[in-house]
Amino acid sequence: MWVQAYTTALPADMDKALAVWITECQEAGLWPPWDELKDEVDTFFSPQSEREWARAQMQKMTQGAQPIETFLNNFTALKQAGKVSDDYAFSVLEKAVKPEIIREVFLMGIDEGDFDSLKNQCRRAGQAMERAAMIRSQGCGWVNNAGSSC
């Protein structure tokens, strides 16, 4: 047996027992293929820290001066990376978006806990506010239906 040939390479009893167990599983056909094993180990270790990192980043996020589209894209990417539930993402997003946008969203009416609806309503309200701010910054107070302004 392989373990007997390499007993000096495995000084600890636990290492020897593990090697025996792995060898027996491989011989019995119970050990998963390498690709499956690698995926399982990767899923157990690295995504755990990625998820925690993504969740921590979501909690720290605020829209600030970012355009709403950029902010929502970044937020959604972190939500997916962190495998965050819609309910949790809903509560974090409503605190992270500018207060004036959230106020408009809730005035329009929204289902509590519906993340996709909240995200879409934030996008609409935020884009409308950004367009209005751009028009005001150009010195115009209104635009008519024909497309001419001031």
Side-chain angles (χ1 to χ4, degrees):
M1 178 181 253
W2 179 88
V3 175
Q4 291 170 344
Y6 293 99
T7 47
T8 56
L10 303 169
D13 289 338
M14 188 172 151
D15 291 338
K16 290 177 188 175
L18 181 61
V20 169
W21 179 73
I22 291 171
T23 304
E24 288 176 357
C25 287
Q26 286 173 331
E27 289 171 358
L30 300 174
W31 195 258
W34 173 248
D35 291 337
E36 282 182 34
L37 183 61
K38 184 176 177 269
D39 288 344
E40 189 172 334
V41 169
D42 285 347
T43 301
F44 185 76
F45 289 104
S46 60
Q48 201 91 14
S49 61
E50 285 178 26
R51 280 188 224 140
E52 290 168 8
W53 177 84
R55 288 172 187 227
Q57 293 302 307
M58 281 177 68
Q59 290 173 344
K60 287 192 249 180
M61 280 184 86
T62 57
Q63 183 184 355
Q66 294 180 70
I68 190 69
E69 191 67 32
T70 303
F71 174 76
L72 290 174
N73 288 342
N74 292 339
F75 189 89
T76 302
L78 288 171
K79 178 188 179 295
Q80 291 170 347
K83 295 182 175 39
V84 172
S85 71
D86 284 352
D87 290 339
Y88 181 75
F90 185 99
S91 66
V92 173
L93 182 60
E94 71 181 341
K95 294 174 187 143
V97 173
K98 289 180 181 176
E100 57 270 19
I101 293 175
I102 282 295
R103 184 173 8 96
E104 288 299 316
V105 166
F106 284 110
L107 287 173
M108 289 187 269
I110 188 139
D111 293 333
E112 190 71 27
D114 185 354
F115 173 74
D116 289 328
S117 180
L118 175 64
K119 182 177 73 169
N120 292 333
Q121 292 288 59
C122 284
R123 179 175 285 118
R124 283 189 200 105
Q127 288 173 340
M129 289 179 173
E130 288 167 0
R131 282 191 300 272
M134 187 178 357
I135 290 170
R136 279 192 304 275
S137 72
Q138 294 172 353
C140 299
W142 54 271
V143 176
N144 66 23
N145 288 341
S148 62
S149 60
C150 299

